Every structure is written in structure tokens, then in C-alpha cells.
């Protein structure tokens, strides 16, 4: 494909290249790969660590996970805004990476293991505070890095460069490579050799990412610099310039996140409140500021943004209740050849993505050539249907076997359903937002997408909490298998109902999209 790209098409793209793409793409690829290695590596063992090392109940561990996941996807709204308006992507990514290295490094210092003193669980409050501080540093770090590393990739290509989609595909492959490697390696090290070693390994991965980005900044050719460098030098308050004030604001993000992580219930209320406010602002804007056609597109985008909450709430069970389920209820011996750890089960999702993403991309193109490719709303409906059916069938399968050595194939099935559903929704989601939003508020709409993604991730923890046994102490991390089957069946049915509703509304939404596909 790159052989047919003319000089006119390359206009505005980075001139220096590597393997047919802008050379800066390789730096973004490696930085994101190592960042995702650290992020997913820590996440893959987090819930197991909470219930096995700190003896938290399933309910409490799930709420901690949900609060963390919700804040992680909420903070990029702030980090993206600060980078767009002041810092520029390069400085924002560097600062975010430094916070991430600090956070992951701190996770390795977990203090003494909790123990039972009669009916009382004894934990070290000092080290728990360090643990929550580590999570807060990671939350703020992701806030500054996640959205902005993608922005840099986009800045490497000119507006007419047809290599852009291929570049993002390569970039996302880095995400999945980091995820596969971390869930396998960090999961094994954490469960077998010690949780602190697993967290430490994730931290080393993030350090590699930071070093790669610091070394590779010279290959970005100034495409991620602040929009107005002179503004950063202006005094903001008490003799502190605006750039340093933003860095201090990042520390404030850490402090707020540290507080929120200790009062997990507040996170759900916060995300719901902000989400409701954003929906209200967008609806008022659409009614008062948009012409009829633009208003229709905007409301379709808003509808799909809200709907995705259901998907992420179900999808993110894999790092919460499903990991505990794999640990407690499934035979993890693979064909009698080797045994995997419960956390390593999560590697199936990114592994399946690497295998099937090209197949799905080919399928959409083939259907498009025949004029029968599903519209974006229909793809959202298919996604909800697939993940809903996955949970209903998975719950049925678990109900057939009362042993604690259930067939591993049921886990393969549910993770395959996750992946197929994700490939119908995730790749088209952000593209849909940019295409259907009016130019003046496209940034606000992108922020709202991340906000409802955050809500879905947070609700994943709330749903996972419903699967707990309500036990105390050493047994508090056990799942109630009957409750788990019931919860999975219920959320599966809810997702199927949402899918049916989307399919019913698809003709109306297509009409209001006015030809945008």
C-alpha cells in the first residue's frame, strides 16, 4: 500500500520514515507497548492480590478495582485537555510516564501480609496507604499519558495520508502485544514468586517505556510540542509559571485519587453526576446551537456513547469476578500438558484480538464491497448481543457442573465472546464520535466517551461485588457460585435486551446519521 502513496498524499506527514511509516510511529509503538505491559500486568493480579494477600472480601476487592478502573478512564479527560491547551503531547506523556514509574515502583513495597487474629483481620494501615498512593500515582499517570500518546500518532500523518489507518493499526498492535506479554509473564511471576515481584516487573516495564520515549523524542521532529511555548513561561500564581503549575496540578490529581480510592463508593456517584451533567450540556447544546441535521448526528453519537457503558461493565469482569472464578472453580490444566495461573487466563482476550482483528477487518471490507456492511449502530447492537449471549451460555454451562474443576473450555468460550464483541464496538467507537460530532464540541464528545467508559469500568466492580460469598477473614475472597451464575445470567439478559433495543432503533439512527458510515 505504501508504494502507491504519492508525494501529494504525504504532504503534512513526517518526512523521516522507517519501514514505510513515519519514524516517530516506532517510538509511540514501543512506549505504548511498555506502558500497557505495566498497566495490564498490574491489573491482571490486582484482585487476586487484594483477596489473597490483604484478605479483603470479594465485595471490597471488587469495589477497589472498580474505583481504580473508573478513575483510570476518567483522568485522561483532564490530561488530554491540559495537553491540548498548554503542555503539548510530548511533555504530557513524559510527565505521565514519570508518575507511572513511581506508582508501579511503589506497588512493589506491599508490607506484611494480612493475618487473622481470632475473627479480626489484621492489616498494616501504613502499607495500605502506600498501596492506595501507588494506585493514585498510576491513575494520574495514565491521565496524562493515555490520550496524548494516541494524539502524537495522529500528528505524524498529514490529513490526506492514506497510511494513517495502517499506522493506528500498528500502534494498537503494540497495545495488544504489551497486554499479552504482561498477563502471561507478570501473572506468573506475581502468583508463583510473590506479588511484589509481579508488581515490580510491571514497574520495570514502565521504566523501559519512559526510557524509550525520552530517547526517542528526537524522532518526533517537533510534532508533539506545546501549542504556545511562551504561554507556559507566564506566571500563574505566586511566581510559579503555568507549566510548573500544571505539574503541581498533577500532584493534586494524585492526592484526590488517593482519597477517592479509600472511599470507593464516592467514585460511582462522582462519575454518574459528571456523566449526567455532560449529557445535559450536550442535549442543551444540540437543541439550541445545532441545525436539524447536525443535531440528529449529535444525538445518535450521544446515544451510542451512553450504550457502551453496558458493554464495558460486562467486558471488564475479566479482571475482577472472572479471575476469581478461574482461580476457584476451574481446572487450569491445559490438555494435561501444563497448568496456567488464574491471572494468565486474561491473556486470551488480547491473544484473540491479535488473531481475529485482521479477520474482522477483512470481513467488514468484504461486506462493504457487497453493500451489506452493518452500520455503526448495528455493530454496537451485534456487540451487545454477542457479549450478552456469551454470559447467558457461560452461566448455563457453569450450572451443569457443580465441581470446582469445571472445564477450561467454558473460559475459552466466554473470552472468545468478549473478543468478538469488542471487535464490533471498540474500533468504531472513537471514529463514530469524531464523525458524528459537530466540530465545536468534538473534544467534549471524546471526553464524554471516556467518561462513560469510566462509568462502565466502575460498574464492573460493583457487579463483581455481587458475586461474593459474604464470608469473613480467610474465606472472604470466596465467590458464591450460585449468586455468580445468577448475576452472569441477569447481566447477559440485560445486554441482550439492550441489543434488541439498538436493533429496533437502528433504522431511526441511520436516518439521523445522514449518510455518515
Amino acid at each position: 500500500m505504501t508504494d502507491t502513496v504519492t508525494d501529494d498524499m504525504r504532504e503534512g506527514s513526517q518526512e523521516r520514515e522507517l519501514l514505510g511509516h513515519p519514524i516517530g510511529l516506532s517510538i509511540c509503538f514501543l512506549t505504548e507497548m511498555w506502558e500497557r505491559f505495566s498497566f495490564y500486568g498490574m491489573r491482571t493480579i490486582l484482585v487476586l492480590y487484594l483477596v489473597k494477600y490483604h484478605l479483603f472480601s470479594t465485595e471490597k476487592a471488587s469495589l477497589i478495582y472498580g474505583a481504580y478502573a473508573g478513575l483510570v478512564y476518567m483522568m485522561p479527560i483532564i490530561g488530554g485537555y491540559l495537553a491540548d491547551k498548554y503542555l503539548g503531547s510530548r511533555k504530557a506523556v513524559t510527565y505521565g510516564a514519570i508518575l507511572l514509574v513511581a506508582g508501579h515502583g511503589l506497588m512493589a513495597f506491599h508490607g506484611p501480609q494480612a493475618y487473622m487474629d481470632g475473627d479480626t483481620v489484621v492489616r498494616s494501615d501504613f502499607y495500605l496507604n502506600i498501596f492506595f498512593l501507588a494506585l493514585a500515582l498510576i491513575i494520574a499517570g495514565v491521565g496524562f499519558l493515555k490520550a496524548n500518546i494516541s494524539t502524537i500518532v495522529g500528528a505524524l500523518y498529514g490529513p490526506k495520508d492514506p497510511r494513517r489507518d495502517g499506522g493506528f493499526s500498528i500502534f494498537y498492535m503494540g497495545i495488544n502485544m504489551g497486554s499479552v506479554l504482561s498477563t502471561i509473564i507478570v501473572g506468573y511471576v506475581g502468583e508463583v514468586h510473590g506479588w511484589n515481584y509481579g508488581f515490580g516487573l510491571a514497574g520495570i516495564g514502565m521504566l523501559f517505556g519512559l526510557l524509550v520515549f525520552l530517547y526517542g523524542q528526537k524522532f518526533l521532529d517537533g510534532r508533539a510540542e506545546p501549542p504556545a511555548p511562551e504561554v507556559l513561561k507566564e506566571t500563574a500564581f505566586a511566581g510559579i509559571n503555568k507549566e510548573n503549575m500544571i505539574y503541581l496540578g498533577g500532584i493534586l490529581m494524585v492526592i484526590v485519587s488517593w482519597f477517592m480510592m479509600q472511599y470507593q463508593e464516592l467514585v460511582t456517584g462522582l462519575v454518574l453526576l459528571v456523566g449526567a451533567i455532560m449529557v445535559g450540556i450536550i442535549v442543551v447544546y444540540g437543541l439550541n446551537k445545532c441545525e436539524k441535521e447536525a443535531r440528529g448526528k449529535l444525538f445518535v453519537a450521544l446515544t451510542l456513547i451512553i450504550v457502551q457503558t453496558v458493554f464495558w461493565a460486562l467486558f471488564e469482569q475479566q479482571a475482577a469476578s472472572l479471575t476469581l472464578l478461574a482461580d476457584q472453580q476451574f481446572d487450569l490444566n491445559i490438555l494435561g500438558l501444563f497448568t496456567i495461573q488464574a491471572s494468565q487466563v486474561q491473556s486470551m482476550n488480547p491473544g484473540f484480538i491479535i488473531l481475529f482483528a485482521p479477520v474482522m477487518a477483512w470481513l467488514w471490507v468484504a461486506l462493504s464491497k457487497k453493500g451489506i456492511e452493518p452500520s455503526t449502530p448495528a455493530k454496537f447492537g451485534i456487540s451487545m448481543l454477542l457479549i450478552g449471549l456469551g454470559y447467558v451460555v457461560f452461566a448455563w454451562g457453569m450450572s451443569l457442573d457443580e465441581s470446582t474443576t469445571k472445564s477450561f473450555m467454558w473460559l475459552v468460550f466466554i473470552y472468545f465472546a468478549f473478543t468478538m464483541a469488542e471487535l464490533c464496538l471498540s474500533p468504531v467507537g472513537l471514529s463514530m464520535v469524531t464523525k458524528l460530532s459537530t466540530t465545536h464540541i468534538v473534544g467534549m464528545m471524546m471526553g464524554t466517551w471516556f467518561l462513560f467508559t469510566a462509568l462502565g469500568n466502575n460498574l464492573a466492580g460493583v457487579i463483581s461485588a455481587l458475586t461474593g460469598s459474604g464470608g469473613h477473614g480467610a474465606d472472604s475472597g470466596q465467590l458464591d457460585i450460585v449468586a455468580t451464575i445468577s448475576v452472569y445470567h441477569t447481566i447477559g439478559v440485560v445486554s441482550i435486551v439492550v441489543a434488541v433495543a439498538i436493533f429496533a432503533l437502528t433504522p431511526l439512527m441511520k436516518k439521523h446519521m445522514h449518510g455518515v458510515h
Side-chain angles (χ1 to χ4, degrees):
M1 176 179 172
T2 55
D3 293 334
T4 61
V5 178
T6 65
D7 290 339
D8 181 58
M9 292 176 178
R10 293 175 191 262
E11 184 178 353
S13 297
Q14 186 180 22
E15 293 183 4
R16 289 197 289 174
E17 294 185 358
L18 179 66
L19 302 177
H21 280 273
I23 192 170
L25 179 64
S26 61
I27 302 304
C28 294
F29 174 93
L30 291 171
T31 302
E32 182 69 350
M33 184 189 77
W34 284 116
E35 188 275 327
R36 292 290 94 180
F37 177 93
S38 66
F39 177 82
Y40 284 110
M42 187 279 282
R43 192 192 75 155
T44 196
I45 58 176
L46 179 59
V47 170
L48 290 170
Y49 165 71
L50 289 171
V51 300
K52 292 187 173 185
Y53 193 81
H54 287 298
L55 300 184
F56 281 115
S57 66
T58 297
E59 294 86 346
K60 185 66 172 178
S62 296
L63 291 176
I64 292 173
Y65 167 75
Y68 164 73
L71 289 172
V72 151
Y73 282 95
M74 188 176 177
M75 289 304 177
I77 301 171
I78 300 172
Y81 171 79
L82 292 173
D84 289 345
K85 192 167 181 63
Y86 299 106
L87 274 184
S89 298
R90 179 182 64 82
K91 288 177 180 288
V93 169
T94 302
Y95 184 51
I98 291 170
L99 292 174
L100 282 164
V101 170
H104 284 292
L106 208 56
M107 289 287 288
F109 299 96
H110 56 28
Q113 184 170 357
Y115 62 92
M116 296 300 300
D117 183 7
D119 291 331
T120 304
V121 179
V122 180
R123 305 185 184 97
S124 169
D125 290 338
F126 173 75
Y127 280 101
L128 274 180
N129 278 317
I130 287 181
F131 166 72
F132 287 125
L133 176 60
L135 290 182
L137 284 162
I138 293 170
I139 289 164
V142 172
F144 277 94
L145 187 145
K146 183 172 177 58
N148 296 310
I149 191 77
S150 300
T151 302
I152 296 176
V153 176
L156 298 173
Y157 296 90
K160 297 180 181 179
D161 196 329
R163 300 173 299 167
R164 176 186 293 266
D165 287 348
F168 270 100
S169 295
I170 294 170
F171 176 71
Y172 290 133
M173 189 62 70
I175 293 175
N176 289 304
M177 284 180 59
S179 180
V180 169
L181 290 172
S182 66
T183 47
I184 293 173
I185 299 172
V186 176
Y188 174 80
V189 171
E191 288 200 65
V192 175
H193 296 288
W195 305 110
N196 56 328
Y197 293 112
F199 292 133
L201 186 58
I204 291 171
M206 189 59 243
L207 179 60
F208 284 163
L210 173 60
L211 294 176
V212 165
F213 191 74
L214 289 174
Y215 169 77
Q217 289 182 10
K218 58 190 176 185
F219 296 112
L220 300 178
D221 293 341
R223 289 174 176 264
E225 296 306 303
E230 65 281 0
V231 173
L232 290 177
K233 295 181 172 60
E234 295 175 358
T235 300
F237 178 75
I240 303 173
N241 65 34
K242 289 184 177 178
E243 180 173 356
N244 289 330
M245 187 59 73
I246 291 171
Y247 297 145
L248 290 174
I251 301 302
L252 180 61
M253 285 172 62
V254 172
I255 294 171
V256 171
S257 299
W258 175 75
F259 175 80
M260 298 291 284
M261 283 307 306
Q262 296 176 75
Y263 300 94
Q264 300 88 30
E265 296 82 358
L266 294 177
V267 177
T268 304
L270 174 66
V271 181
L272 278 170
L273 176 62
V274 178
I277 292 171
M278 292 303 296
V279 169
I281 291 172
I282 293 166
V283 169
V284 171
Y285 182 90
L287 293 173
N288 293 285
K289 300 288 186 180
C290 294
E291 299 295 330
K292 182 178 179 181
E293 182 174 321
R295 183 188 308 126
K297 293 178 182 178
L298 188 67
F299 287 171
V300 170
L302 183 59
T303 301
L304 296 179
I305 284 172
I306 295 171
V307 161
Q308 57 136 353
T309 304
V310 178
F311 170 80
W312 293 115
L314 275 62
F315 180 81
E316 290 299 336
Q317 291 305 308
Q318 58 184 302
S321 63
L322 267 171
T323 294
L324 294 174
L325 195 67
D327 183 55
Q328 298 170 19
Q329 293 288 328
F330 282 86
D331 180 4
L332 300 181
N333 184 278
I334 310 301
L335 302 175
L337 300 175
F338 58 92
T339 300
I340 65 172
Q341 304 302 313
S343 58
Q344 293 177 305
V345 172
Q346 294 178 53
S347 66
M348 284 195 287
N349 174 240
F352 281 148
I353 287 177
I354 291 172
L355 288 174
F356 291 104
V359 176
M360 292 297 287
W362 169 84
L363 177 63
W364 299 138
V365 171
L367 293 176
S368 178
K369 288 179 179 178
K370 296 181 179 180
I372 54 174
E373 181 187 4
S375 64
T376 296
K379 287 179 180 177
F380 271 62
I382 293 169
S383 176
M384 297 297 173
L385 181 63
L386 288 173
I387 200 168
L389 287 173
Y391 269 105
V392 169
V393 175
F394 183 69
W396 171 75
M398 287 198 300
S399 69
L400 298 177
D401 186 354
E402 296 182 358
S403 73
T404 56
T405 54
K406 296 175 175 61
S407 171
F408 184 75
M409 293 310 296
W410 286 113
L411 288 172
V412 175
F413 168 79
I414 189 66
Y415 274 87
F416 181 75
F418 283 163
T419 304
M420 292 298 104
E422 182 183 8
L423 289 172
C424 289
L425 182 146
S426 190
V428 302
L430 291 175
S431 175
M432 174 275 297
V433 173
T434 58
K435 289 177 180 177
L436 293 178
S437 303
T438 59
T439 307
H440 298 296
I441 62 166
V442 65
M444 183 189 298
M445 293 295 286
M446 292 286 277
T448 306
W449 170 275
F450 279 115
L451 189 61
F452 278 88
T453 301
L455 178 59
N457 276 262
N458 178 255
L459 291 177
V462 175
I463 292 170
S464 178
L466 299 176
T467 65
S469 65
H472 179 70
D475 296 326
S476 63
Q478 294 296 310
L479 296 177
D480 181 333
I481 190 61
V482 175
T484 302
I485 292 172
S486 175
V487 168
Y488 283 2
H489 181 269
T490 300
I491 62 177
V493 170
V494 168
S495 187
I496 292 170
V497 170
V498 171
V500 172
I502 294 173
F503 289 138
L505 291 171
T506 291
L508 180 62
M509 285 193 277
K510 282 182 67 177
K511 176 184 175 182
H512 286 287
M513 289 168 69
H514 297 282
V516 174
H517 186 67

